[in-house]
Amino acid sequence: MKRLSGTASLGLGIALAVVLALSAWLTSSVGRDLSQAQQQRDAVLLTHALASTLEGVDADTAARRVGQFLSAHPAIESVQVVSGRELTASSRPQDQAPRSLQREEKPLFDLSNELRSAEETNRKEGSVTKKTLRAELGLNTLAVVSVPLRSGGEVTGMVQARVRSTAAAATAAAASDSQRPAPAGMGLGGALTLLAAALGVGVLLRIRPEQQRFDLGRALALVVMIGAAAYFQQGLQQSLAQRHQTEVEQTARLQGAVAATHAAVTGSASAAQATTSAWDTDTYGRPLGLISGDGRPLAKADDAMASHSRFLSRSFWAINALGVALLLFFVQGWAGRSARALRDNATAYAYVTPAMLGMLVLVFFPFFYGISLAFTDTTLFNEQLPFRERWIGLQNFVSILGDFDIVRSSVEGTVVNYSNFYWTLMMTVIWTITNVTIGVTFGFLLALALNTEGFKGKTIYRVLLILPWAIPNYITALVWRGMFHPQFGVINQFLQMFGLEPVRWFDGVVSAFMTGLITNGWLSFPFMMVVILGALQSIPKDMYEAAEVEGASRWQQFRSITLPLLRPTLVPAVVLSVVWTFNMFNIIFLVSGGEPGGANEILITKAYKIAFEQYQYAYAAAYSTVIFIILLVYGYFQTRLTRATESY
């Protein structure tokens, strides 16, 4: 009892330490990300405002305005203004601007052209797909921001500024925090109270009568742990909210100061007032909309903090659940049993550890990361945001599974929505069933033929029939695609030899489907043939001889001997073939490409195109998760119903 109670006390201490450490680390990480985002926002705001004062001015005016702006905002360490191949202005004395760019300054020229190209691409496409500014956080709290320099609505160059985290912001935050009530954080008193409570629970766990006191102690341990964690986490959350409010107010003050500087430098207060909110942008040049034109924080800023708060609350629940699990792991005696197992089988675990570490890095981490990505709204445009800001829960799955818009009515009649999930799922199921049927049927027949006694040349036939499987399938797919070419393909030329019209294979839903079916059928039968042939050769011959003595016909021998003994081998092979065919990316992608209009896409190729053509990474991850669940359910029920993996 004492040993068990001591283990429970140890579990309480470890669980509390893990919960508090993870909570502190999470809040610190969120706060650090918010501070870095705030610093980048301030640097982008300053650089945009400076670039706005330099639009359409000559080199002398640009140099004067850069000097005026830097004197008003000492947080800007240095500025370089590039226009074409010229360094128009610079705050660094060693640059001696204006002058032509030198060879070692080619990165500045390339970056200026890249920003100009991104701006022109976005304007031409009528959408935002390219980043129109560069913002990097370097060492010593230094942000390097590069924004386009415009003249007459066209990008003519670039303004690059190096901005330090202002000391004024830190001073203002400290002053603001000193005027606020102290957050309900842990503090020395809270820590001592928690320590005393933990000690008290530890003592309770050692008092008799044993069973009753142990149960009471276990319940108290849970209460103390959850209560202490909630107390600590509430303080962390309040501190973070106050810090965020201070930073937003500081940015609002900075925006007002920048607008005043812009008005003083350009002599146009109205222009500064009209464009102030447009200076606070993301890396795609889109206004964030957190602060109004006159420098007032908008409701969207509070919404952003509310989003962080919700993320923290949910994360704290998960951390507390982990703490409870750790406590129960010790209290229920699982920790002791695990320690004994590790001690008694140390050599075996040492051999297994390298493989498990490899699986963890190469399999489990990508797998669970992909699943977690499915619960976000990650795209090309927000992938740089912290994970918590992209979290949307089950919305991707609701969007995928809740879309029943398969058939639409239009002026041209009924139109099938080929991009719908259920259409793609139907095509995937049809694709899988037909291909597996062809592979199993032809593989079975060929295996029976090659297993015939006295069949001459069977070795040569085995080698020839396994060649389609031995050749890399992407090479085979490309060869078959060439054979199906409407004009130069050998199949159409063969049809024309008999006076038939050439077929435009990839223009029709059925004909395009047949191209993939034929190609994959050619690739799939050798595997099934080899598996079934091996199983046939393992069946004892004396069973057939005994059946013949009893007068059984060949069909009766096949039904009563061959099929039952093939089932333990055939069913797992069919399950494996179904999984492979369900995810047969190469054939669809390389042969038909899902044509026409995506009608012959299967789920895996659809997920690929969503990720790497539409850049909706999270939606593609949700698609992949749905694929995994479908195959997992199929494999489970297939093996349970057939009982092919059970021993006899």
Side-chain angles (χ1 to χ4, degrees), residues 520-587:
N520 198 62
W522 171 259
L523 287 169
S524 61
F525 79 82
F527 169 75
M528 299 304 301
M529 180 192 73
V530 170
V531 170
I532 296 171
L533 183 59
L536 288 173
Q537 292 178 343
S538 67
I539 300 175
K541 300 296 183 183
D542 55 1
M543 297 186 69
Y544 292 103
E545 294 173 357
E548 288 182 2
V549 171
E550 295 293 333
S553 65
R554 287 187 176 273
W555 169 248
Q556 290 174 326
Q557 294 177 30
F558 177 78
R559 189 181 61 184
S560 303
I561 299 175
T562 306
L563 284 181
L565 294 179
L566 279 181
R567 190 176 69 173
T569 301
L570 187 59
V571 173
V574 170
V575 172
L576 185 61
S577 181
V578 167
V579 174
W580 282 350
T581 308
F582 202 89
N583 288 326
M584 184 56 69
F585 175 84
N586 286 354
I587 304 305

Side-chain angles (χ1 to χ4, degrees), residues 59 109 211 244 306 509 520 531 563 595:
F109 175 75
Q211 189 60 39
H244 172 76
V509 176
N520 198 62
V531 170
L563 284 181
E595 296 297 330

Side-chain angles (χ1 to χ4, degrees), residues 88-329:
T88 307
S90 175
S91 64
R92 304 192 307 179
Q94 66 269 28
D95 285 342
Q96 298 180 349
R99 60 169 173 79
S100 298
L101 290 171
Q102 299 175 0
R103 183 183 298 273
E104 61 271 15
E105 295 172 323
K106 187 175 183 297
L108 287 176
F109 175 75
D110 293 339
L111 181 56
S112 175
N113 283 336
E114 185 178 343
L115 296 180
R116 177 183 55 79
S117 175
E119 183 93 1
E120 292 175 352
T121 300
N122 289 344
R123 188 181 307 165
K124 181 179 179 181
E125 295 180 352
S127 61
V128 180
T129 58
K130 301 290 185 181
K131 294 182 179 181
T132 55
L133 66 88
R134 295 290 183 271
E136 300 176 357
L137 291 178
L139 300 176
N140 301 321
T141 65
L142 183 71
V144 181
V145 180
S146 305
V147 303
L149 176 63
R150 297 177 178 85
S151 179
E154 298 293 331
V155 177
T156 59
M158 174 189 72
V159 177
Q160 186 176 87
R162 290 171 173 80
V163 185
R164 296 187 301 272
S165 181
T166 60
T171 303
S176 178
D177 285 342
S178 66
Q179 298 172 359
R180 300 178 189 271
M186 208 38 198
L188 180 59
L192 291 175
T193 303
L194 173 61
L195 212 54
L199 267 165
V201 172
V203 171
L204 274 174
L205 292 174
R206 294 176 179 271
I207 296 177
R208 303 191 181 204
E210 299 177 354
Q211 189 60 39
Q212 294 179 357
R213 291 297 183 183
F214 177 73
D215 289 341
L216 175 62
R218 179 164 53 185
L220 285 176
L222 288 171
V223 171
V224 168
M225 194 204 72
I226 296 175
Y231 173 71
F232 182 68
Q233 291 163 352
Q234 181 186 10
L236 292 174
Q237 204 156 346
Q238 289 180 0
S239 298
L240 187 64
Q242 292 176 1
R243 179 177 176 181
H244 172 76
Q245 182 65 25
T246 300
E247 290 176 343
V248 170
E249 292 171 357
Q250 171 60 26
T251 298
R253 287 192 293 269
L254 176 63
Q255 190 159 320
V258 167
T261 304
H262 186 283
V265 171
T266 61
S268 175
S270 60
Q273 182 73 15
T275 58
T276 300
S277 59
W279 294 336
D280 187 19
T281 71
D282 61 10
T283 54
Y284 290 88
R286 299 174 297 189
L288 296 176
L290 302 179
I291 300 176
S292 65
D294 56 359
R296 291 181 296 103
L298 298 176
K300 190 174 180 181
D302 295 332
D303 294 341
M305 188 57 218
S307 174
H308 297 316
S309 181
R310 286 193 298 270
F311 172 80
L312 282 177
S313 297
R314 294 166 183 169
S315 300
F316 287 154
W317 275 109
I319 290 173
N320 290 339
L322 175 62
V324 171
L326 277 174
L327 180 58
L328 293 177
F329 182 69

Side-chain angles (χ1 to χ4, degrees), residues 7 19 53 250 261 289 342 345 396 425 439 453 490 591 643:
T7 303
V19 168
T53 67
Q250 171 60 26
T261 304
L342 285 172
N345 303 283
N396 286 327
L425 176 62
E453 291 186 10
V490 66
V591 177
R643 296 187 298 173

